[in-house]
């Protein structure tokens, strides 16, 4: 039996993949993988439901297609939240213009974020582009949460 040692080149390669500035790409990949796996698991769930025996038509969360769909459903907002948190952390290191809003008033900050949100992307500096991306990520989490709550607790209207 021979022992393998990790060379400096291998440790550099692994260290360079998981630097704090590359985590955003990891969270983006997790988001895309969650969306793709959600659609694939829903298709698998449909096939699974078609092949269920008539004698026992129950489906539990422990069934693999259901577990895969639930895991990817949860993976979407988790990846968005992690990306938004990482993006907000990256905001701290970006320089701001001296004439930008620095007020701690929540109403003024919200108005500024809305202005950045609707502004032309070409007119924004690096800080405002990152703020816009961060806002999109957290808005996506809120929309996904509202959609999930509506699906779980919403009541269909009787015709």
């Amino acid at each position: 039996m021979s022992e393998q040692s990790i060379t400096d080149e291998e440790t550099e390669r692994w260290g360079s993949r998981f630097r704090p500035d590359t985590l955003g790409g990891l969270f983006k990949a997790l988001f895309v993988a969650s969306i793709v796996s959600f659609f694939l698991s829903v298709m698998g769930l449909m096939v699974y439901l078609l092949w269920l025996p008539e004698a026992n038509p129950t489906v539990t969360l422990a069934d693999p297609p259901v577990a895969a769909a639930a895991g990817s459903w949860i993976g979407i907002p988790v990846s968005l939240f992690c990306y938004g948190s990482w993006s907000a952390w990256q905001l701290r290191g970006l320089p701001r213009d001296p004439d930008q809003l620095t007020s701690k008033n929540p109403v003024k900050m919200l108005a500024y974020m809305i202005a950045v949100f609707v502004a032309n992307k070409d007119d924004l500096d690096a800080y405002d582009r990152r703020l816009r991306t961060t806002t999109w990520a957290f808005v996506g989490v809120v929309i996904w949460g509202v959609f999930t709550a509506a699906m779980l607790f919403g009541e269909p209207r009787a015709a």
Side-chain angles (χ1 to χ4, degrees), residues 36-52 59 63-69:
V36 169
S37 67
F38 176 72
F39 285 114
L40 291 176
S41 62
V42 167
M43 285 189 268
L45 181 61
M46 298 283 188
V47 170
Y48 181 74
L49 290 175
L50 288 174
W51 287 346
L52 271 179
V59 177
D63 294 335
V66 179

Side-chain angles (χ1 to χ4, degrees), residues 35-36 38 41 48 66 71-72 74 81 85 98 108 110 121 131 147 157:
I35 289 176
V36 169
F38 176 72
S41 62
Y48 181 74
V66 179
S72 58
I74 293 169
F81 180 78
S85 300
K108 289 182 181 180
L110 181 62
K121 191 175 184 176
L131 180 65
F147 180 70
R157 305 234 176 222

Side-chain angles (χ1 to χ4, degrees), residues 6-8 12 15 19-21 25 37 53 63-64 75 83 89 103 116 120 138 142 148:
I6 299 175
T7 64
D8 289 338
E12 270 184 35
R19 291 188 322 254
D21 57 335
S37 67
D63 294 335
Y83 181 80
W89 182 64
S103 173
V116 167
N120 187 4
F138 286 123
V142 170
T148 302

Side-chain angles (χ1 to χ4, degrees), residues 47-146:
V47 170
Y48 181 74
L49 290 175
L50 288 174
W51 287 346
L52 271 179
E54 296 287 330
N56 188 12
T58 59
V59 177
T60 64
L61 191 58
D63 294 335
V66 179
S72 58
W73 183 270
I74 293 169
I76 292 171
V78 167
S79 62
L80 280 175
F81 180 78
C82 289
Y83 181 80
S85 300
W86 171 83
S87 186
W89 182 64
Q90 290 291 326
L91 273 172
R92 299 178 320 141
L94 291 175
R96 294 183 72 176
D97 288 337
D99 58 343
Q100 281 185 341
L101 177 71
T102 57
S103 173
K104 297 294 182 190
N105 185 349
V107 175
K108 289 182 181 180
M109 288 172 47
L110 181 62
Y112 181 72
M113 286 175 51
I114 290 171
V116 167
F117 204 62
V118 298
N120 187 4
K121 191 175 184 176
D122 297 332
D123 297 338
L124 300 176
D125 61 349
Y127 182 87
D128 288 338
R129 281 193 303 272
R130 176 62 63 189
L131 180 65
R132 184 180 187 159
T133 305
T134 305
T135 305
W136 269 113
F138 286 123
V139 166
V141 171
V142 170
I143 289 172
W144 196 259
V146 168

